[in-house]
Amino acid sequence: MSEKLKGNILVTGANRGIGLALVKQLGETPGEEGHIYACCRDPQGPGAQALRDLSTQCPGKITVVKLDVSDVDSISSAVQTVSRIIGAGGLNLLINNAAINRPETPLSACEKKDMMEVYETNVVGPFLLVKMLLPLLQKAAEMDSTVKGDKMSCSRSAIVNISSLISSIEKCPETFYIKQMYPYRTSKAALNMLSRCLAEDFRRHNILVAAVHPGWVRTAMGGEMASLTPQDSVSGMLSILTSLSNKHSGMLLDWEGNTIPW
């Protein structure tokens, strides 16, 4: 149902896994109603070959942008690039997908640097990106000021933060012994709070903010035993995103639309 999402869309971590699948399915949208800004750390490197190929296959639909969400200068440069291309237009949808997980080890093997690196990428990166892109998100919200009833949607102006089931504090007793992952769990819990805060802050701008769990996905992070392909996960998420409105802002949902407790 990705054909219902239109306008300018920015996706981070777009060179593989869920991010690449998002760009692919968004790029298949018929017509010229949308443009995707596909961001990754090394657009010219071997790890971005699939993304470059996809950009070639969808001429005029995808712009590949260099972005390292752990580097404030890189974030600033990427925002300037996107702003210059968009011009008078606004940014309709920001999908904060880029994330790291290291190490997958018990508490005894987890060091301070692991906690800090994961938090910097998974929480501070999205925070700074939202902060710098806010003028473009506001511009998109203001351009669609004639909307009646529910004013928020992912086709108007929205931020979607890719979270995780294992970020849920309530569900921790059910999930902890499957994989402990202290840095990843705590960073995604912090991302949830960031999402909740942004949702409250941005209601006045009519900018929707939601956190979404993509499911257990077969990626480099999810592993080969995961139950979902990136394609199936993204298809589900995009279907959910098309249905989000005012009442969903500030919520944590899964790829099938179910609410996950904080």
Side-chain angles (χ1 to χ4, degrees), residues 1-9 26 29 33-35 90-95 136-137 139-145 147 150-160 206-209 238-245:
M1 297 180 68
S2 58
E3 70 274 9
K4 294 184 180 179
L5 292 175
K6 57 185 179 180
N8 292 307
I9 302 171
L26 288 167
T29 304
E33 292 188 340
H35 192 89
L91 181 64
N92 301 94
L93 176 59
L94 164 62
I95 303 179
L136 288 179
L137 290 160
K139 188 177 293 186
E142 291 163 1
M143 288 174 70
D144 202 3
S145 59
V147 174
D150 279 357
K151 295 183 178 180
M152 295 184 189
S153 76
C154 287
S155 289
R156 184 182 186 184
S157 183
I159 299 160
V160 173
N206 290 316
I207 298 172
L208 188 154
V209 185
L238 291 179
S239 179
I240 295 306
L241 297 193
T242 62
S243 67
L244 297 186
S245 64

Side-chain angles (χ1 to χ4, degrees), residues 69-166:
V69 296
S70 67
D71 184 327
V72 66
D73 291 333
S74 178
I75 296 172
S76 179
S77 178
V79 169
Q80 290 176 34
T81 297
V82 172
S83 299
R84 186 167 56 249
I85 299 171
I86 288 178
L91 181 64
N92 301 94
L93 176 59
L94 164 62
I95 303 179
N96 281 312
N97 167 70
I100 60 172
N101 172 29
R102 57 175 176 260
E104 287 192 34
T105 54
L107 178 64
S108 58
C110 183
E111 304 292 341
K112 176 183 176 180
K113 64 179 178 61
D114 301 315
M115 294 291 288
M116 299 306 291
E117 286 176 4
V118 172
Y119 189 87
E120 184 175 48
T121 295
N122 296 3
V123 187
V124 180
F127 166 77
L128 291 173
L129 194 54
V130 167
K131 186 177 178 180
M132 294 186 198
L133 285 172
L134 181 56
L136 288 179
L137 290 160
Q138 287 179 280
K139 188 177 293 186
E142 291 163 1
M143 288 174 70
D144 202 3
S145 59
T146 60
V147 174
K148 304 295 183 182
D150 279 357
K151 295 183 178 180
M152 295 184 189
S153 76
C154 287
S155 289
R156 184 182 186 184
S157 183
I159 299 160
V160 173
N161 294 322
I162 303 301
S163 186
S164 172
L165 176 66
I166 65 172

Side-chain angles (χ1 to χ4, degrees), residues 222-242:
E224 290 298 319
M225 299 300 292
S227 56
L228 281 172
T229 65
Q231 293 73 25
D232 288 341
S233 168
V234 166
S235 179
M237 285 195 290
L238 291 179
S239 179
I240 295 306
L241 297 193
T242 62

Side-chain angles (χ1 to χ4, degrees), residues 170-190:
E170 183 173 326
K171 285 189 168 292
C172 186
E174 301 173 29
T175 65
F176 181 71
Y177 293 100
I178 299 171
K179 284 193 175 182
Q180 296 184 9
M181 297 191 296
Y182 276 87
Y184 189 75
R185 283 176 178 273
T186 54
S187 73
K188 289 299 186 179

Side-chain angles (χ1 to χ4, degrees), residues 24 27-28 50-62:
K24 184 176 189 300
E28 291 170 349
L51 179 58
R52 293 196 298 272
D53 292 344
L54 194 55
S55 177
T56 302
Q57 293 162 18
C58 303
K61 296 280 289 183
I62 299 170

